[in-house]
């Protein structure tokens, strides 16, 4: 399956050309009244983060845009790491939000808190190589409750998830369970798919995992992350 993210423009608007009209129409319909749902095209999209062959895959809604984030998204370290990730290039910190270079980035703070017990229990050098996060929609907004349908990256997104199922990866749906099930029906019957008890606070802890929900099963998850190397 062709990776469309290799065709991202080098300057704003950072939108695949096939999506530009659809996103402009989507934003226009929402207007200023629903500002929190507007997709930001002056920020780099993030269809996925991490190692695309990882044993643990996290499914999210879309990258969060916050006005307080003054860190550069379009040049410097973030841009370099993000664009390298689109092409699945090898890197020391494949899950770049755990790279010390980005420790002041709002996205890094979000992921540090949401990875919860994984950050505490798994050696960071292995964790950054063994997790892969996929966004349902690559374009950022303040809230992902409203998202456009049938964007260019959807087919490649589904391919990445189906590849995870085929390699027997552990999959955790952090947010948007209904959307993910509709897009990829295989997830419903996949026995290694987990959900969170509170998707409004998508923190990966033993207490917040819906299935399995025991401390012992969470230990098995962290053990898998610790043992596998890439």
């Amino acid at each position: 399956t062709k990776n469309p993210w290799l065709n991202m423009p080098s300057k704003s608007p950072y939108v695949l050309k096939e999506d530009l009209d659809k996103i402009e129409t989507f934003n226009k319909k929402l207007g200023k009244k629903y500002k929190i749902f507007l997709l930001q095209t002056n920020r780099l999209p993030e269809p996925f983060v991490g190692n695309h062959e990882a044993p643990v895959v996290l499914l999210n809604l879309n990258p969060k845009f916050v006005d307080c984030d003054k860190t550069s998204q379009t040049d410097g370290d973030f841009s370099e790491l993000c664009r390298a990730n689109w092409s699945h290039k090898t890197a020391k910190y494949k899950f770049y939000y755990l790279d010390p270079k980005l420790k002041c980035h709002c996205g890094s703070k979000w992921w540090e808190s949401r990875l919860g017990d994984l950050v505490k229990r798994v050696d960071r050098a292995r964790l950054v190589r063994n997790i892969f996060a996929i966004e349902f929609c690559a374009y950022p907004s303040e809230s992902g409750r409203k998202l456009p349908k049938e964007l260019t990256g959807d087919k490649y997104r589904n391919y990445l998830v189906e590849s995870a199922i085929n390699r027997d990866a552990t999959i955790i749906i952090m947010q948007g369970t209904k959307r993910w099930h509709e897009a990829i029906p295989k997830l419903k019957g996949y026995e290694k798919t987990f959900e969170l008890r509170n998707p409004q606070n998508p923190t990966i802890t033993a207490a917040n995992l819906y299935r399995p929900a025991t401390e012992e099963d969470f230990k098995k998850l962290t053990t898998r992350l610790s043992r596998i190397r890439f």
Side-chain angles (χ1 to χ4, degrees):
T1 300
K2 188 176 180 180
N3 182 354
W5 300 105
L6 302 180
N7 301 319
M8 179 58 55
S10 59
K11 59 182 181 179
S12 182
Y14 297 104
V15 180
L16 294 174
K17 64 178 183 179
E18 299 89 345
D19 290 338
L20 187 57
D21 288 345
K22 184 171 288 189
I23 288 177
E24 286 181 345
T25 300
F26 175 81
N27 283 347
K28 188 175 181 179
K29 284 183 178 179
L30 289 172
K32 293 183 179 179
K33 183 179 179 181
Y34 298 102
K35 182 183 175 182
I36 62 172
F37 303 127
L38 297 178
L39 297 181
Q40 304 297 316
T41 60
N42 61 339
R43 316 278 281 187
L44 292 175
E46 294 179 84
F48 42 78
V49 180
N51 181 3
H52 70 297
E53 296 178 330
V56 176
V57 175
L58 315 174
L59 304 184
N60 215 349
L61 266 181
N62 74 320
K64 295 298 176 281
F65 165 77
V66 284
D67 284 325
C68 66
D69 189 0
K70 303 300 182 183
T71 54
S72 175
Q73 295 274 122
T74 57
D75 55 24
D77 291 329
F78 182 89
S79 176
E80 183 180 341
L81 293 167
C82 185
R83 288 181 179 276
N85 199 243
W86 291 341
S87 59
H88 305 300
K89 288 183 178 178
T90 301
K92 182 179 180 180
Y93 290 90
K94 295 213 75 169
F95 197 89
Y96 53 78
Y97 276 123
L98 297 185
D99 189 329
K101 291 180 182 177
L102 300 182
K103 65 181 180 180
C104 294
H105 197 287
C106 282
S108 296
K109 295 173 183 177
W110 191 91
W111 276 108
E112 282 274 359
S113 63
R114 295 309 186 271
L115 289 173
D117 289 347
L118 297 184
V119 172
K120 298 174 184 176
R121 301 190 192 190
V122 181
D123 178 75
R124 186 170 293 241
R126 295 187 181 184
L127 182 62
V128 295
R129 290 172 172 80
N130 291 335
I131 54 174
F132 185 50
I134 304 174
E135 302 285 355
F136 191 83
C137 173
Y139 302 103
S141 62
E142 288 184 51
S143 170
R145 246 181 343 115
K146 292 183 182 292
L147 295 170
K149 296 179 180 180
E150 298 179 3
L151 294 175
T152 305
D154 291 359
K155 186 178 291 187
Y156 192 66
R157 173 200 68 198
N158 295 352
Y159 162 76
L160 290 172
V161 176
E162 289 171 359
S163 294
I165 292 172
N166 292 338
R167 69 173 179 273
D168 203 33
T170 298
I171 296 176
I172 301 174
I173 302 177
M174 297 178 68
Q175 294 179 311
T177 299
K178 183 178 179 180
R179 286 174 174 166
W180 282 110
H181 283 171
E182 289 176 350
I184 307 164
K186 288 182 181 179
L187 281 172
K188 282 188 177 181
Y190 183 55
E191 62 180 12
K192 290 189 176 180
T193 299
F194 306 116
E195 299 171 19
L196 298 182
R197 292 180 183 277
N198 181 10
Q200 299 303 315
N201 178 28
T203 303
I204 302 175
T205 63
N208 203 27
L209 277 181
Y210 180 72
R211 189 186 69 81
T214 67
E215 174 65 22
E216 186 60 33
D217 284 325
F218 192 79
K219 285 181 180 178
K220 291 179 182 178
L221 171 63
T222 56
T223 297
R224 188 175 194 197
L225 280 166
S226 299
R227 286 180 177 172
I228 299 176
R229 297 183 181 183
F230 287 89

